[in-house]
Amino acid sequence: MDLERPLPTPITPECRPYWEGAREGKLMITKCRACGKPFMYPRVSCPFCASRDIGWVQASGRGRLFSFEIAHQILNKAFKVKTPVVLAMVELEEGPRLLSNLVGIAPDPKQIRCDMPVEVCFEKLTDEISLPMFRPVGGAR
Amino acid sequence: MSDLARMRELSNAVGIVGVDESDEIGTLPGKSQLTLHVEAITNAARDAGIKVSEIDGVFTAGQHSPATIGEAIGVVPRYVDGTTVGGCSFIIMVGHAMVALYHGLCDVAVVCHGESGRSGVGVSPRRDTALPGQFEFPYGFGGAPTYFGLITTRHMHEYGTTLEQWAQVAVSTRKWAALNPKARNREPLTVKDVLDSRPVVWPFNILNICLVTDAGGAVILTRADRAKDCAKKPVYVRGAGEGSEHVMLTQMRNLTFSEATQRSGAKAFAMAGVKSTDFDHIMLYDAFTSGPPLMLEALGLAKRGEGVHFFAEGRSTPGGKLPINTNGGGLSYTHSGMYGIFPIIEATRQLRGECGARQVPNARMSLVNGMGGMLSAAGTLVLSNEGSR
Ligand SMILES: [Zn+2]
C-alpha cells in the first residue's frame, strides 16, 4: 500500500496506549496520579513532581492552536501529502502540547490565527495506525 | 566559599591562543568531515605557535568522538569531552576546557569542529529519533526550519513582530558579509529581496534561513600564564555559561523565551562580573533570522519582543553602536550544521584587531552566544583582550 505519510516509528512500549487509543478514535494522554498534572510525551516519571505513579486518561480533544507554519516543501521523502501543509503546535485544554497538522482550513496565514480553538480528528493510515490531527472548531472562518 | 566566588576564580584563567577555519570553507565534495576537523586543528595550532603534538585535551561535538580526533592528529589526550547538545556545543566546551585547564587536567586544549553539511562526505546517519519518529515525522516535521518557525510565528502573535523585521536581520548580517572575503554570499541584500525570496516554511523564506556548507573550525586554549608566550596576544575567557532546557519543542516552557539562554547568559555575566550593556561586539548563532533577536531578549540586552530593534535601527550594522555577527553569520558567511565554533573564531579575531575592512574599532569585550537545537541548549562566552586578574 502506498502511504502518504511516514508511519509513527518506532512505537515504543511507553507510548503504545497512545497509539492504541488513536486507533479507537480516542486521544489518550498520560497523567500523574500524585500531583494530578497531565503531560505528554508519555514517560514513566512525572516531569512536574518526579512521581512514578503514572496513568492514562482520555483528553477532551479540544484545545487551541498554539502556533503554526505553512510548509511549502517537506524534506522527508516519505511524506507525500501535497504541499502547502499546515504544521501545527496545539495546546490541549488539559495543558500538554502536541505537534500535528491543522486541516479543514486554507493554508493561508491571513486565515489561520494563533489561539484559535481547534478539536481533534483522526486520519486512518492503516488498520493499526490512526493519526491525531486538528481542525478549527466549527469549521473555518 | 560561595558559588559566585568559585566561578569568579575561573574568570580570565585561560586564554584563546589559536583560531582558524579549515583550509577552505564552502562546497567541498573532495573532503571528508574528518579532514575538515584536522585541517582546522593544524591551522589553529599554527596560529597559536603551538605544535599539534602538544595538544593534550580534545573537545569536540557531532559525529566524531574526541577519541577519533585524538587518533587522527596522532596524540594521546589526557582529557576528552564529547558533550553534544547541538550547534552551541563548542561554545559550551570553551567553558569545559577552561575548567580542565584551570585544574591542571590538561595544558593545551583544542575545541574542534568539522562537518560536511552540504556535500555529506564521510558522514554517518542521524540517530535518536524514537520520539520525533512517533510524534513529529508523520506530520511532516523534520529539518530545523519546521520547528523554529513555530517559535517565530508565536513571537509574531505575542509581540506583533513582522516579516519585515525578521528580514532586517538578514540585511544587517549581509552588510558584514560584504566585508568578509571568506563569506559565501556577499552581494547586497534588501528587505524586499528577503520577502520576495522562495517560500520554504512560512514565516520563513529561503533568505531567512542559514546556508548549508562544508566547513571546519578550531580553537586552541591554554592557561593565562602560558598564553602570554604564544604567537599572538591572547583573548581571555572572562566568563562562560551553559544551559539546556528541552529537545522536543513541545517541552519548551515558554515558546518565545529561551530559559536555557537566560541561564547561560546570567552565569557567564556573573562569572565575568559584567552587565549586559558592557559589550562592544556581539556574535549570536543565526540559523534563522528570528534567532538573534530572541537571544538578545533572553540575555537581557533587549526587552521581550524588542530584540528586532537592534537590527532595524542600524545598531548592529557596520558603523553601528553594537556590531552583531561581523563575519556575516550563518546566514551569509558559512553554516556547516553545528555553527558554534565560528562565532568564537570571529570574536577572537575582532578582539585581536585582525578583521581588516570589517574590524570593529577598539573592540575590547565580546559576547558570544549560541543555541543548540531549537533554543534547546545554550552556551555563552564573555571574551576580552584585557586579562587582569
Ligand atoms: Zn506529578
Side-chain angles (χ1 to χ4, degrees):
Chain A
M1 185 172 52
D2 250 6
L3 287 174
E4 276 199 312
R5 295 167 181 272
L7 288 170
T9 185
I11 291 181
T12 49
E14 298 77 17
C15 301
R16 191 166 297 281
Y18 179 83
W19 295 109
E20 288 170 352
R23 186 175 59 201
E24 311 293 326
K26 295 176 183 169
L27 186 65
M28 302 299 293
I29 59 175
T30 34
K31 182 175 179 175
C32 175
R33 293 197 187 97
C35 74
K37 289 183 182 163
F39 61 89
M40 279 293 282
Y41 53 92
R43 65 205 98 162
V44 298
S45 152
C46 171
F48 301 105
C49 76
S51 165
R52 295 284 300 271
D53 189 8
I54 308 298
W56 287 86
V57 294
Q58 183 178 353
S60 71
R62 289 185 298 271
R64 59 173 171 151
L65 181 69
F66 198 72
S67 192
F68 68 97
E69 309 156 321
I70 295 160
H72 295 271
Q73 63 178 63
I74 298 285
L75 294 177
N76 189 339
K77 297 273 180 286
F79 188 92
K80 296 166 192 152
V81 181
K82 193 171 179 313
T83 56
V85 172
V86 183
L87 308 183
M89 180 182 281
V90 169
E91 186 173 273
L92 302 177
E93 62 181 11
E94 291 85 358
R97 292 177 190 157
L98 301 174
L99 296 190
S100 188
N101 293 137
L102 184 70
V103 296
I105 188 167
D108 175 0
K110 291 189 189 70
Q111 291 193 39
I112 305 171
R113 298 224 164 273
C114 289
D115 292 340
M116 68 194 292
V118 295
E119 63 190 5
V120 74
C121 53
F122 291 87
E123 182 174 318
K124 185 176 174 179
L125 299 184
T126 67
D127 287 345
E128 290 298 311
I129 296 295
S130 287
L131 207 55
M133 315 270 266
F134 288 83
R135 64 189 173 206
V137 171
R141 265 178 291 180
Chain B
M1 197 181 194
S2 71
D3 280 2
L4 180 60
R6 284 179 189 280
M7 286 203 308
R8 293 300 301 275
E9 286 279 303
L10 294 166
S11 183
N12 291 337
V14 307
I16 295 174
V17 294
V19 296
D20 211 345
E21 293 105 333
S22 45
D23 295 359
E24 311 158 82
I25 60 174
T27 303
L28 306 170
K31 288 179 181 178
S32 71
Q33 286 193 154
L34 190 54
T35 290
L36 298 170
H37 269 281
V38 175
E39 286 183 358
I41 294 168
T42 52
N43 294 344
R46 188 186 317 115
D47 186 55
I50 281 179
K51 293 197 206 73
V52 170
S53 59
E54 293 179 84
I55 293 170
D56 62 351
V58 176
F59 298 74
T60 192
Q63 293 185 337
H64 298 308
S65 87
T68 302
I69 302 304
E71 178 185 82
I73 61 173
V75 302
V76 180
R78 58 191 183 106
Y79 200 92
V80 289
D81 182 346
T83 306
T84 297
V85 293
C88 65
S89 299
F90 311 101
I91 298 170
I92 288 176
M93 280 172 182
V94 167
H96 293 189
M98 170 186 73
V99 176
L101 289 163
Y102 176 78
H103 287 291
L105 305 178
C106 58
D107 285 322
V108 176
V110 65
V111 180
C112 60
H113 163 73
E115 189 164 359
S116 183
R118 185 174 190 87
S119 303
V121 184
V123 304
S124 336
R126 284 184 168 239
R127 291 164 296 161
D128 194 12
T129 57
L131 290 164
Q134 289 181 85
F135 296 107
E136 298 178 351
F137 298 167
Y139 300 105
F141 287 92
T146 65
Y147 299 101
F148 214 84
L150 292 173
I151 294 172
T152 307
T153 304
R154 185 73 197 178
H155 194 279
M156 292 165 72
H157 175 74
E158 290 183 4
Y159 298 108
T161 33
T162 64
L163 299 177
E164 287 76 11
Q165 287 175 314
W166 303 134
Q168 290 284 3
V169 178
V171 170
S172 167
T173 310
R174 182 63 65 85
K175 286 180 179 166
W176 287 110
L179 304 175
N180 182 1
K182 288 189 176 175
R184 185 177 182 94
N185 289 347
R186 304 183 61 197
E187 64 278 14
L189 190 69
T190 66
V191 166
K192 186 172 186 304
D193 291 335
V194 180
L195 296 177
D196 290 347
S197 65
R198 176 168 61 85
V200 179
V201 178
W202 186 93
F204 294 143
N205 291 345
I206 192 70
L207 290 176
N208 294 98
I209 302 174
C210 64
L211 304 166
V212 182
T213 62
D214 308 318
V219 172
I220 292 183
L221 301 105
T222 190
R223 267 186 305 281
D225 52 346
R226 179 168 181 189
K228 291 191 188 77
D229 302 325
C230 290
K232 292 178 175 169
K233 195 167 175 285
V235 164
Y236 294 93
V237 181
R238 184 161 169 170
E242 65 188 80
S244 164
E245 182 187 354
H246 61 277
V247 175
M248 305 271 281
L249 199 58
T250 51
Q251 309 302 302
M252 190 174 179
R253 289 161 177 78
N254 179 342
L255 196 58
T256 58
F257 187 85
S258 168
E259 211 172 291
T261 306
Q262 181 186 40
R263 288 197 170 204
S264 177
K267 185 174 165 188
F269 296 175
M271 187 186 295
V274 300
K275 299 185 301 294
S276 61
T277 48
D278 286 345
F279 301 100
D280 36 35
H281 173 247
I282 296 184
M283 295 299 298
L284 302 169
Y285 197 120
D286 58 338
F288 303 97
T289 47
S290 47
L294 268 73
M295 287 173 199
L296 290 170
E297 293 168 22
L299 291 165
L301 273 77
K303 287 189 194 147
R304 295 191 190 193
E306 297 185 1
V308 285
H309 295 185
F310 279 76
F311 301 89
E313 293 163 2
R315 269 185 273 177
S316 60
T317 53
K321 279 210 175 95
L322 195 51
I324 300 178
N325 291 349
T326 51
N327 58 355
L331 290 168
S332 288
Y333 149 75
T334 208
H335 191 290
S336 45
M338 296 176 77
Y339 167 74
I341 197 82
F342 301 105
I344 310 168
I345 293 172
E346 173 68 7
T348 301
R349 287 174 172 159
Q350 286 286 352
L351 292 168
R352 286 172 171 177
E354 293 181 335
C355 289
R358 69 179 193 282
Q359 180 63 45
V360 174
N362 306 314
R364 290 173 301 108
M365 189 146 56
S366 181
L367 166 63
V368 174
N369 184 79
M371 67 171 179
M374 304 301 114
L375 296 170
S376 311
T380 311
L381 296 173
V382 176
L383 302 179
S384 165
N385 52 21
E386 297 164 351
S388 60
R389 265 173 70 75

